[in-house]
Amino acid sequence: MSGTEFDGFLGGVRVLEIGAELGEYCGKVLAGLGADVVRVEPPGGEVTRGYGPFYKDVPHPDRSLYFWHYNLAKRSVTLDLDDPAGQESFARLVAAADVLIDSRPRTYLADRGLGYDRLRADNPRLIYTRISPFGDTGPWADYEGSDLVHLALGGVMMNCGYDPDPAGFYETPPVAPQMWQAYHLAGEMTAMSILAALTYRLRSGHGQALSTSVHEAVSQNTETDVPDWIFLRQTHRRLTCRHSTTTTRSPALAITKDGRYLLPYRTYVRSQNDEWDNTVALLRKYGLEGDLDEPRYATDYRDTTEARDHLAATVDKLIGQLCFDRDLWREAQALDLPWTPIRRPEENAVDPHWLQRGAFFEVHHPELDETFLYVGGKWVTEGMPWRRGPRPPLVGEHTEQVAHEWLVGRPGHERISTADRAPAQAPTSRRGKPFALAGIRVVDLSWMLASAGAGRFLSAMGAEVIKVEHLSRPDRMRFSPLGACPPGGRPERERATSALPTPQITGTTGNPNRSGSFMEINAGKLGMSLNLKHPRGRELLEELIRDADMVVEGFSPGTMARMGLGYERLRELNPDIIYVQQSGLGEFGTYGRARTFGPSAQAISGISEMSGLPEPFPPAGIGYSHLDWFGAYNMATAMLAALYRRDVTGEGCHIDASQGETGLYLTGTAVLDHAVNERRWSRYGNRSPYKRAAPHGAYRTTGDDRWIALAAFDDDQWRALAEVLDLPGWASDERFADLSGRLRHQDALDELVGSATAAWDGFELMAALQQRRVPAGVCQSAEDRVERDPQLAHLGWLVELEQAELGRWPVKEHPTHFSETPTYIGGRWNRSGPNYGQDTDYVLAEILKLDRAEIAELRAQGAL
């Protein structure tokens, strides 16, 4: 199959990819969307072909399961870019490409006469995309990165690990989520940005340069620790398989009779779906309700720590009397409880729900005459399945084929003119340049982070995003105490020398405009109050949809259809509408209306199991709602892919996305290892069995709960590490003389390294090691990143924005930098999130053209 035979979302788009692990996930996403992605590899193949695990555990450049997962549906050409002929061949391919993904070292291409200026001159429409460890400028631009180092410096590790002892001391280090999560984050944000740049190019004819720092992308992902520090000066503590927080809470995990784990996710908000009563009903079914039927539990007593701990202990008792395969979580879901099992990644590959949704599919390898199960699609779209092959390329397999196809002409992938979609007078951003998505209107019916977070990225790119909500069913993030603004606002925070108390927020009776987290998640949006239970409110929503480009929502599966606003009705209102919905486990499939939050979706997807120390330790999980943010990224990617396709073909579509599938997509190498080698997943803590390194881990430094992540992938880095730590005898110790020896003696090596690092200040040690080109990074807290990280400050990762009630506060910017259409997280309106209903009158008057009398009557009727 050539790269022009598949349509999908990006049929006809040509992507050239050069580099190692930093860019492979990004290229994988674009290939799955239908682009012709061609890997340019050196003779003998890219270094990542040497990453394990391997087919039958035999290292071979065409048998790396890592490479298989990240390069499905791509093609491979080999070129020697140190040779003039290879350089010229590369330049010709770039001249025929739409997108170049470059993750080589900063000057690699320029040193070979292939810098951006030359490539742009040959191809002005090129979208040149850089993915680098720390950015190409700034004080850390030359630092060495790795997956572990980025997860440390980006704050992820300080949110992930195990509970402290009763005195608050951490016996175990922070633990990095396993299997390349740093590059997943950077790659998803870059893929999203490429889609926006392609859409802008359709309208303007202009290419541009994009740049993503892995460090900046990872630093923005940790959910609540940054707003808690910014607004309340609070520092988070990591906890086993649950949200990091400022205090300890009831355990989240519950162990089954056979030693597996369930996540009986507990919110216990009385106004939210009667979780307490439904939990007691489940316990009563098994005769374990005990005293929980006593009258005092029908009062506010149930909100006390004592009562919650008692309920949690009773739940744990029930789970401990049943086996894992009993699927108690399904009974809990039937009672609207967001429980899920903590699965190993390979266990999802036999789940009928995921198979029905196409989340896994078989790929044939003709050279082996075998077929293997791969992790597949990121969402469900009628008529546009995720690309299912061909199998990953052999080294240089398509060198001649690609040269022939790419250099003899182009497919007609920009088939219709879309100039009429661009606004006559496109607004200019606060960056002084045009927005990529000017003229795009999004009706945003999202809820909480996983869906609401998607719209902020389109708003930052210039789209008009209208958040529609009503206090009869408000976005719960409006009342979240996480990152709540202190009563005295910014002046109170700036005077604080210790943590401020969390303001009390009392459900929907509280002020809906005091959550800093909500405001950041919804930065740059318009806010409209609209009662969709009122007939006139429903009519107004339909009027908005008639002239919109997209409708996005995060309701429970089936809600829109029950409201009479399923996809068929949306198409009646607007034939080319794009409808994107996101839920926990998806609408289509056997799980139906299963209810999840980020941690419960993480548990069922397998990624909670993929973080932690080896057994007998339990899973540590990811200590925040990783799939809430990643779900938002995935939803934004879906929205932008659908927008590009709509602008090319004139056709809208319906996308059914889920947080669960987002998580499955991140587990693919482990799933392949089981499919190929019949090996179940086993945690490996902070070590690096697949890109071999030793030492490789997090080691204690001076201070309370301070750690540094470091790695030695080769003997030169090992010798430099030993010299910096002033222990030259280590380098000559026969146990540690080479990498193979160090891998065999990792326990002894870790003990020696940890004893030496304990005397160092972490930042001083990081600087000393980085000066010697040793990958090293402090496990940074939110305070470190916000207050002291010079590279993030240089990159402008936080932007000061006004909010109508809270005043001026920092908000996280989009981590991919555009040369021609730079994002601005304040959007067209240059502000943080909207007050409840802040722009209702504007939308009604300026967009729907209602007069003041009509608006007043709607308000009197209760439609607003």
Side-chain angles (χ1 to χ4, degrees):
M1 178 186 292
S2 76
T4 61
E5 292 175 357
F6 187 90
D7 192 13
F9 289 91
L10 295 182
V13 173
R14 291 172 169 174
V15 179
L16 209 60
E17 179 189 331
I18 182 169
E21 61 261 37
L22 273 71
E24 283 177 311
Y25 177 93
C26 178
K28 173 182 174 62
V29 171
L30 299 181
L33 290 169
D36 181 16
V37 180
V38 174
R39 292 296 310 272
V40 176
E41 303 187 67
E46 187 53 66
V47 64
T48 55
R49 290 181 179 271
Y51 297 173
F54 294 93
Y55 171 81
K56 305 302 183 185
D57 290 331
V58 178
H60 186 284
D62 291 327
R63 304 290 187 267
S64 163
L65 305 187
Y66 165 92
F67 192 87
W68 286 8
H69 172 60
Y70 289 99
N71 293 277
L72 176 68
K74 299 180 186 178
R75 299 196 284 174
S76 169
V77 303
T78 52
L79 295 174
D80 183 356
L81 295 190
D82 290 324
D83 179 79
Q87 294 164 7
E88 186 57 33
S89 295
F90 180 79
R92 289 198 300 269
L93 288 175
V94 175
D98 299 291
V99 177
L100 171 62
I101 302 172
D102 170 21
S103 62
R104 287 278 186 246
R106 178 177 53 203
T107 64
Y108 179 88
L109 290 179
D111 289 346
R112 291 158 176 78
L114 298 168
Y116 175 54
D117 289 342
R118 187 251 170 109
L119 300 177
R120 179 177 55 179
D122 292 345
N123 183 357
R125 293 168 58 81
L126 178 69
I127 297 168
Y128 173 74
T129 306
R130 282 280 295 142
I131 304 178
S132 62
F134 293 95
D136 288 336
T137 62
W140 292 358
D142 293 322
Y143 272 22
E144 294 288 328
S146 73
D147 188 44
L148 181 76
V149 167
H150 286 303
L151 294 170
L153 284 168
V156 171
M157 287 181 69
M158 283 302 282
N159 284 272
C160 301
Y162 296 99
D163 292 358
D165 70 13
F169 176 75
Y170 281 100
E171 300 171 292
T172 54
V175 182
Q178 290 154 24
M179 287 281 181
W180 313 99
Q181 297 300 329
Y183 304 130
H184 296 161
L185 292 167
E188 190 73 39
M189 302 302 280
T190 306
M192 175 201 309
S193 302
I194 288 170
L195 293 167
L198 284 168
T199 296
Y200 177 74
R201 194 185 70 170
L202 280 177
R203 297 150 188 262
S204 68
H206 300 308
Q208 59 182 307
L210 309 182
S211 176
T212 303
S213 152
V214 178
H215 179 46
E216 185 175 6
V218 173
S219 295
Q220 297 197 11
N221 180 255
T222 57
E223 193 195 11
T224 59
D225 65 336
V226 170
D228 272 346
W229 174 260
I230 285 175
F231 284 90
L232 297 170
R233 207 179 186 276
Q234 294 180 350
T235 299
H236 276 217
R237 305 277 281 169
R238 58 189 177 279
L239 302 169
T240 305
C241 212
R242 59 197 190 278
H243 276 83
S244 69
T245 184
T246 57
T247 60
T248 59
R249 298 184 296 186
S250 299
L253 291 179
I255 190 166
T256 63
K257 181 188 295 184
D258 50 349
R260 297 294 302 279
Y261 294 91
L262 293 186
L263 183 69
Y265 192 74
R266 301 149 182 160
T267 59
Y268 300 151
V269 178
R270 294 188 68 188
S271 62
Q272 181 63 33
N273 295 315
D274 299 317
E275 282 190 28
W276 178 288
D277 293 331
N278 292 347
T279 302
V280 174
L282 181 61
L283 293 167
R284 189 181 299 113
K285 177 179 177 182
Y286 288 89
L288 290 178
E289 72 277 13
D291 67 350
L292 290 167
D293 279 333
E294 291 183 2
R296 59 178 172 154
Y297 291 107
T299 70
D300 289 341
Y301 173 70
R302 67 169 57 175
D303 294 324
T304 65
T305 299
E306 180 182 46
R308 291 181 181 182
D309 286 351
H310 178 45
L311 182 63
T314 310
V315 166
D316 290 352
K317 180 180 178 181
L318 168 62
I319 293 171
Q321 295 181 16
L322 301 175
C323 289
F324 182 79
D325 289 342
R326 183 71 171 265
D327 278 348
L328 178 66
W329 73 278
R330 296 299 302 272
E331 296 180 51
Q333 284 282 352
L335 291 166
D336 208 23
L337 298 172
W339 295 16
T340 49
I342 296 185
R343 285 181 175 166
R344 299 188 186 105
E346 70 273 7
E347 290 176 319
N348 284 297
V350 294
D351 186 319
H353 176 76
W354 300 126
L355 293 172
Q356 188 174 350
R357 288 179 62 84
F360 298 90
F361 47 69
E362 292 186 335
V363 176
H364 186 61
H365 286 240
E367 75 285 3
L368 299 172
D369 195 25
E370 293 188 67
T371 297
F372 305 112
L373 194 71
Y374 278 67
V375 172
K378 285 158 67 74
W379 55 70
V380 173
T381 310
E382 294 89 343
M384 281 185 292
W386 203 256
R387 192 169 184 178
R388 298 188 170 209
R391 62 96 172 97
L394 308 180
V395 177
E397 181 177 6
H398 305 98
T399 302
E400 294 183 4
Q401 180 186 29
V402 169
H404 172 74
E405 291 176 2
W406 279 35
L407 302 181
V408 298
R410 291 198 51 80
H413 67 287
E414 295 183 9
R415 293 192 286 274
I416 64 172
S417 171
T418 57
D420 59 321
R421 295 190 184 277
Q425 293 183 331
T428 300
S429 82
R430 295 307 188 276
R431 309 290 188 193
K433 293 189 175 184
F435 281 114
L437 300 184
I440 297 299
R441 178 173 294 157
V442 180
V443 176
D444 185 343
L445 300 169
S446 61
W447 197 69
M448 298 187 73
L449 170 54
S451 56
R456 79 189 297 268
F457 300 113
L458 275 72
S459 175
M461 297 170 184
E464 181 183 67
V465 181
I466 306 170
K467 184 171 179 64
V468 177
E469 56 184 332
H470 193 262
L471 278 179
S472 62
R473 190 186 183 275
D475 188 325
R476 276 183 56 190
M477 288 301 297
R478 281 196 175 276
F479 303 96
S480 171
L482 302 172
C485 184
R490 189 74 174 266
E492 181 181 358
R493 170 61 179 85
E494 292 179 346
R495 290 192 302 268
T497 58
S498 60
L500 297 172
T502 300
Q504 295 298 311
I505 296 180
T506 55
T508 58
T509 62
N511 187 328
N513 305 317
R514 301 298 296 178
S515 170
S517 291
F518 173 89
M519 296 305 170
E520 175 172 85
I521 291 165
N522 292 279
K525 299 181 184 180
L526 296 171
M528 182 185 190
S529 61
L530 195 60
N531 184 0
L532 300 184
K533 297 178 181 179
H534 192 286
R536 188 69 178 112
R538 155 77 180 273
E539 291 173 4
L540 291 170
L541 178 63
E542 291 190 344
E543 288 302 311
L544 270 180
I545 291 169
R546 290 183 193 278
D547 197 34
D549 297 277
M550 299 184 199
V551 175
V552 298
E553 53 99 349
F555 297 140
S556 297
T559 299
M560 286 286 281
R562 289 191 294 275
M563 291 168 57
L565 289 171
Y567 181 49
E568 291 307 314
R569 174 55 179 160
L570 296 179
R571 292 178 64 185
E572 291 175 3
L573 297 169
N574 186 337
D576 64 352
I577 195 69
I578 295 164
Y579 170 38
V580 183
Q581 62 179 135
Q582 174 142 281
S583 57
L585 303 181
E587 181 169 85
F588 173 72
T590 61
Y591 288 156
R593 295 186 62 193
R595 179 172 171 242
T596 67
F597 291 86
S600 43
Q602 287 157 204
I604 197 172
S605 73
I607 63 172
S608 291
E609 177 67 38
M610 295 176 71
S611 177
L613 299 174
E615 296 175 20
F617 279 89
I622 299 180
Y624 59 94
S625 292
H626 178 60
L627 287 190
D628 277 353
W629 265 128
F630 216 121
Y633 305 161
N634 183 62
M635 189 176 186
T637 297
M639 293 162 68
L640 288 161
L643 179 64
Y644 178 81
R645 178 181 179 275
R646 194 281 311 267
D647 281 2
V648 169
T649 67
E651 299 176 0
C653 66
H654 169 212
I655 295 176
D656 172 10
S658 77
Q659 289 175 280
E661 273 154 321
T662 302
L664 297 180
Y665 199 72
L666 309 179
T667 70
T669 304
V671 172
L672 266 175
D673 195 22
H674 185 266
V676 171
N677 295 318
E678 299 182 349
R679 182 165 39 231
R680 79 166 179 86
W681 171 259
S682 296
R683 294 185 300 278
Y684 51 80
N686 291 324
R687 290 181 176 173
S688 185
Y690 301 124
K691 182 181 180 180
R692 300 188 340 145
H696 190 280
Y699 303 92
R700 202 182 299 273
T701 60
T702 60
D704 178 28
D705 193 32
R706 301 301 310 198
W707 306 79
I708 188 169
L710 53 85
F713 293 98
D714 57 41
D715 291 342
D716 288 341
Q717 290 175 346
W718 162 242
R719 284 189 288 268
L721 171 63
E723 290 174 12
V724 168
L725 293 176
D726 195 25
L727 292 165
W730 290 7
S732 60
D733 187 317
E734 63 179 13
R735 295 176 298 170
F736 311 138
D738 57 25
L739 180 57
S740 295
R742 293 193 296 277
L743 288 167
R744 288 195 303 271
H745 298 96
Q746 284 190 86
D747 289 343
L749 184 61
D750 284 343
E751 184 176 349
L752 290 170
V753 172
S755 66
T757 61
W760 280 79
D761 171 82
F763 289 97
E764 292 178 0
L765 179 56
M766 176 177 72
L769 290 171
Q770 286 285 356
Q771 190 173 20
R772 298 292 303 275
R773 313 299 297 171
V774 177
V778 171
C779 295
Q780 293 201 115
S781 65
E783 177 184 2
D784 293 327
R785 285 175 285 149
V786 173
E787 309 293 348
R788 288 185 287 273
D789 188 314
Q791 188 64 19
L792 291 177
H794 172 81
L795 295 170
W797 81 302
L798 295 175
V799 177
E800 293 274 347
L801 293 180
E802 289 287 341
Q803 201 285 324
E805 183 165 330
L806 305 185
R808 194 169 184 84
W809 292 90
V811 175
K812 289 180 285 190
E813 181 56 275
H814 183 68
T816 298
H817 300 259
F818 294 61
S819 64
E820 304 304 315
T821 60
T823 61
Y824 181 65
I825 201 63
R828 293 175 54 189
W829 316 104
N830 186 28
R831 70 185 197 199
S832 189
N835 278 0
Y836 173 73
Q838 181 174 342
D839 305 292
T840 302
D841 287 12
Y842 170 85
V843 174
L844 294 174
E846 301 299 323
I847 297 177
L848 296 182
K849 306 302 181 183
L850 275 61
D851 60 34
R852 290 184 178 179
E854 290 175 298
I855 295 171
E857 179 61 23
L858 289 169
R859 193 161 274 122
Q861 293 175 358
L864 304 180

